[in-house]
Amino acid sequence: MAEYVLSIDQGTTSSRAIIFDHAGAVVASGQKEHEQILPRAGWVEHDPAEIWQNVQEVIGLALTRAHLTRHDIAAVGITNQRETAVVWDRATGEPVYNAIVWQDTRTQEIVDRLAADGGIDRFAEFVGLPLATYFSGTKVAWILENVDGARERADAGELMFGTTDTWVLWNLTGGVDGGVHATDVTNASRTMFMDLETLQWRDDILKAFGVPASMLPEIRSSSEVYGTAENSSLLRETPIAGILGDQQAATFGQAAFRAGESKNTYGTGCFLIFNTGEEIVRSKNGLLTTVGYKLGDAPTHYALEGSIAVAGSLIQWLRDQLGLISSAPEVEELASLVEDNGGVYIVPAFSGLFTPYWRPDARGAIVGLTRFANRNHIARAALEAVAFQTRDVLDAVNADAGVELKELKVDGGMVANDALMQFQADVLGVSVVRPKVAETTALGAAYAAGLAVGFWSDLDELSANWQEDRRWEPTMAADERDRQLRLWRKAVTKSMDWVDEDVR
Ligand code: ADP
């Protein structure tokens, strides 16, 4: 009997394959980074062919390292960077352009044009999202408007669109030879095209964006057999049975299955998801309304989400652009050399501010500088910025949900940073809890796939797998917390209103 599930995590900076056992423990993994193509300021692209090649290689790496073959794998799950758009030719499988990545802001003009009639919340009632460059819909529209011949080919039904889950699924299941063109409800909920209630594409919105419905993948649940692997010699005939966008996958991997449960993931960006159960909650505080998961024919679970564009990438910026540190963990050493931030605040609005501000006109700011401030203060302020942004998101969640969250489950690369986690507990005033299995994103997709094929029987079985690794309790005095929050919020106002017509 197959005793393992393989998860493909097609992320922003790398693709990984991780093999899990029945207890949800990692057995082996493979990982490969892909190139970040930055043709100009604000543009971020990936090569879809490189991503597909890497996905195949990491599957091989993981299987080899675990000494397993496809006969040991009960099912495959896919999780992915969510709003990154790929458009390719249905007959040849060739992408017509590089993938346009979720961080890319080139579509601001399209956003402004669409928002001119009805404002940025023009479609929010149906899709739960404000108009923003972040979502994949604007990126498809850009490709159709700017790539030679793309519009005509799309109108003739020759092109396919997908986020990277769809790109990987289509290729894995045969590509031009009968590949399955599908996505799951969570990825579809990030396009701006899907109606949250019906879980179908909306013709009126597609028309407004100028995107033909023939390009779109079929919307399926997050846990069902979509097809079997045909194009990967290593996984031939293995069922592909789970798809969840990365943040929803992390929520699932954290066993936050029920209304009122939540998690915050600290990676390149920071994403807090709050499960609202079967209820669609419309945010009054700048959160996104999104699909949490849907298991086969069972009812859909919805969620509120706070998206912070810059978190771990601020640490990368300290390393790569400023040369302040030579590796990410070093930021903790520097930060611990000073008692406090020395009055320095960093607002990392590199591509505007996401939740809860939604201000594309904001740009990064370092404020409160005096002759006293040194590199250690900057390092500390960078870590604190991640925690402050999370506090802003949590305030919005508490206001929308009408309940105060009692503890926060955390995951992602930055939760290795003890100083950050302690400061996070301090500025939130609630406990912060890290699970034993750090690979929650890949685990969530594995869970979705394993449930579909009966490898796991139900959610209770998965909940029992969740184990606490470490917990941080708040220790900061309330008046100090209030003082710091007041200064942080003042700093945020200083980052706004920066981009004018002539700012490049
Ligand atoms: P993603 O899945 O978005 O690629 P990960 O969850 O792998 O991201 O996290 C990587 C991010 O975490 C990087 O941006 C890196 O700068 C940051 N990071 C890793 N270790 C630390 C650390 N000890 N302290 C602060 N940041 C860290």
Side-chain angles (χ1 to χ4, degrees), residues 9 11-14 16 31 102 246-247 265-269 271 311-317 319 327-332 383 411-418 420 441:
D9 180 356
T12 306
T13 53
S14 72
R16 296 192 296 173
Q31 176 168 18
W102 58 274
D246 54 11
Q247 300 310 321
T265 300
Y266 301 75
T268 308
F271 300 87
S313 55
L314 179 59
I315 310 305
Q316 290 169 359
W317 181 77
R319 185 193 63 193
S327 72
E330 239 179 79
V331 73
E332 187 165 4
L383 287 178
D411 52 50
M414 292 188 89
V415 304
N417 191 310
D418 194 40
L420 171 62
T441 305

Side-chain angles (χ1 to χ4, degrees), residues 152-383:
E152 294 71 28
R153 288 163 72 192
D155 285 342
E158 292 170 18
L159 301 185
M160 287 177 158
F161 153 71
T163 37
T164 62
D165 55 317
T166 304
W167 172 244
V168 170
L169 176 71
W170 185 78
N171 278 294
L172 203 53
T173 53
V176 293
D177 296 322
V180 175
H181 189 215
T183 189
D184 91 305
V185 286
T186 65
N187 279 290
S189 78
R190 317 295 293 189
T191 54
M192 295 214 66
F193 299 154
M194 190 188 79
D195 190 304
L196 283 174
E197 280 175 26
T198 63
L199 306 180
Q200 297 297 320
W201 303 122
R202 281 192 71 96
D203 285 332
D204 53 346
I205 301 180
L206 289 173
K207 208 160 167 223
F209 276 73
V211 172
S214 62
M215 293 179 73
L216 301 182
E218 187 187 347
I219 302 173
R220 309 271 287 266
S221 82
S222 318
S223 176
E224 61 178 273
V225 177
Y226 311 100
T228 53
E230 300 299 336
N231 249 359
S232 156
S233 51
L234 293 171
L235 286 179
R236 201 167 295 274
E237 291 168 17
T238 315
I240 320 295
I243 303 179
L244 284 164
D246 54 11
Q247 300 310 321
Q248 282 87 345
T251 313
F252 211 71
Q254 285 267 28
F257 303 128
R258 293 163 188 93
E261 296 179 334
S262 64
K263 67 88 209 182
N264 196 25
T265 300
Y266 301 75
T268 308
C270 215
F271 300 87
L272 194 147
I273 287 200
F274 179 84
N275 187 329
T276 61
E278 292 172 34
E279 192 187 348
I280 300 178
V281 177
R282 314 274 172 190
S283 177
K284 294 186 178 60
N285 297 282
L287 299 172
L288 308 174
T289 306
T290 200
V291 178
Y293 64 86
K294 177 174 167 59
L295 305 177
D297 296 332
T300 310
H301 275 244
Y302 295 92
L304 285 168
E305 175 176 323
S307 315
I308 297 165
V310 178
S313 55
L314 179 59
I315 310 305
Q316 290 169 359
W317 181 77
L318 296 183
R319 185 193 63 193
D320 302 339
Q321 254 82 355
L322 294 194
L324 206 64
I325 48 176
S326 57
S327 72
E330 239 179 79
V331 73
E332 187 165 4
E333 287 167 39
L334 291 195
S336 66
L337 293 175
V338 283
E339 267 175 33
D340 56 32
N341 62 15
V344 178
Y345 290 81
I346 302 181
V347 185
F350 293 155
S351 49
L353 286 168
F354 284 15
T355 316
Y357 305 102
W358 298 103
R359 291 287 296 255
D361 59 312
R363 281 300 175 268
I366 303 182
V367 298
L369 290 174
T370 61
R371 184 70 182 79
F372 172 70
N374 62 35
R375 62 210 290 262
N376 305 329
H377 294 118
I378 303 268
R380 190 160 183 131
L383 287 178

